[in-house]
Amino acid sequence: MAQQGRRLAVYKKILQDNVKRWMIKEFLEYKLARLGYIYSEVLKTPLGTRIVIYAERPSRIIGKKGAVVKELSQILSAKMGVDNPQIDVIDISKVDVPEMFPKVIAYRIANAMAKGIRFRRVAFVAVRQVTEAGARGFELVISGKLSTERAKFEKYKVGKVYKSGNDSMKTVRRAAVHVLLKPGIYGIRIAIAPANAKFADDFKIKPPVKQETQQS
């Protein structure tokens, strides 16, 4: 019974750590949504908790003399109970091409629409940027009061984007962003198959090899 109690305590600790990691990521995404935030990693170290933030514009997240990072560290420590948070901000372009990340494209579209640019023009620009970056597949869905008082959606698709199966879960990158404009809330949903993506149905046909016959 004592051994079973210890096991349950370990499982409970793992669940608590996972919940706290999820809460940290949700908080960072909410707090830094307009500052070029893409995604983050939360790592436990002997000195505390290391948080790596990947951003399109690191300077905006760091802030003047690190003011934004200091504020984030204080909130994470005081209100969320994060042990000694250490925040690092990395430029997403050092990891991969920015156009291969759906959230980068989604925020670009949202910011352009907030400035009054027509959604179709923004959509065609996004399609061109992603295809020129070498993506194997790209799908964009914009929903809301696009041209009438009734909500509808428009879809733009180029290349191959899987909707189900292992390739859809492991290879295709997805993101959804919402933007509030005067007519109402607009949804921007993006799926990208990166340039270096390898699908399960990729194959190459090797040319036949000629075998030399031995003459007796």
Side-chain angles (χ1 to χ4, degrees):
M1 291 295 293
Q3 185 176 3
Q4 185 178 2
R6 287 196 296 271
R7 287 181 180 178
L8 290 175
V10 171
Y11 296 153
K12 187 176 181 180
K13 180 67 168 58
I14 294 173
L15 290 174
Q16 289 177 348
D17 291 343
N18 289 336
V19 169
K20 181 174 287 189
R21 188 178 293 110
W22 173 80
M23 291 175 62
I24 293 171
K25 291 184 176 182
E26 287 289 313
F27 166 74
L28 293 175
E29 185 169 2
Y30 170 78
K31 188 74 173 178
L32 307 174
R34 297 185 179 275
L35 301 179
Y37 171 89
I38 307 303
Y39 71 97
S40 60
E41 294 179 347
V42 181
L43 308 171
K44 295 290 291 183
T45 66
L47 299 177
T49 305
R50 182 169 179 255
I51 301 172
V52 183
I53 299 175
Y54 296 90
E56 187 179 11
R57 298 177 182 178
S59 59
R60 297 182 63 184
I61 291 182
I62 295 173
K64 189 176 182 180
K65 296 183 180 180
V68 178
V69 171
K70 291 178 182 177
E71 180 186 359
L72 292 175
S73 299
Q74 292 175 357
I75 294 174
L76 290 172
S77 178
K79 295 186 177 182
M80 302 185 68
V82 179
D83 181 27
N84 190 20
Q86 302 170 2
I87 299 177
D88 296 331
V89 184
I90 298 177
D91 192 344
I92 197 67
S93 61
K94 296 182 179 180
V95 180
D96 200 348
V97 180
E99 284 75 16
M100 294 297 103
F101 292 91
K103 196 162 287 187
V104 172
I105 304 299
Y107 280 130
R108 287 180 185 176
I109 294 173
N111 293 332
M113 292 177 63
K115 294 177 182 178
I117 303 176
R118 292 288 297 171
F119 72 93
R120 285 196 181 94
R121 180 183 175 186
V122 180
F124 289 135
V125 171
V127 170
R128 188 183 74 249
Q129 289 177 344
V130 176
T131 52
E132 288 179 353
R136 298 193 58 180
F138 174 65
E139 183 180 270
L140 165 63
V141 179
I142 302 178
S143 58
K145 295 180 180 179
L146 302 178
S147 57
T148 62
E149 287 299 320
R150 296 187 62 182
K152 62 177 184 178
F153 71 91
E154 287 198 10
K155 180 185 293 186
Y156 305 84
K157 186 176 180 181
V158 178
K160 184 190 295 185
V161 178
Y162 286 93
K163 298 295 184 68
S164 62
N166 187 66
D167 287 329
S168 175
M169 294 186 293
K170 299 293 182 62
T171 307
V172 178
R173 299 173 180 175
R174 305 179 187 275
V177 171
H178 297 86
V179 56
L180 177 61
L181 304 179
K182 287 184 179 180
I185 296 178
Y186 290 77
I188 302 165
R189 191 169 71 248
I190 291 179
I192 296 177
N196 56 357
K198 294 183 179 180
F199 296 119
D201 58 351
D202 289 342
F203 62 90
K204 293 182 179 180
I205 300 178
K206 295 182 179 180
V209 180
K210 293 183 179 180
Q211 296 182 354
E212 297 180 359
T213 57
Q214 295 180 355
Q215 296 180 356
S216 57

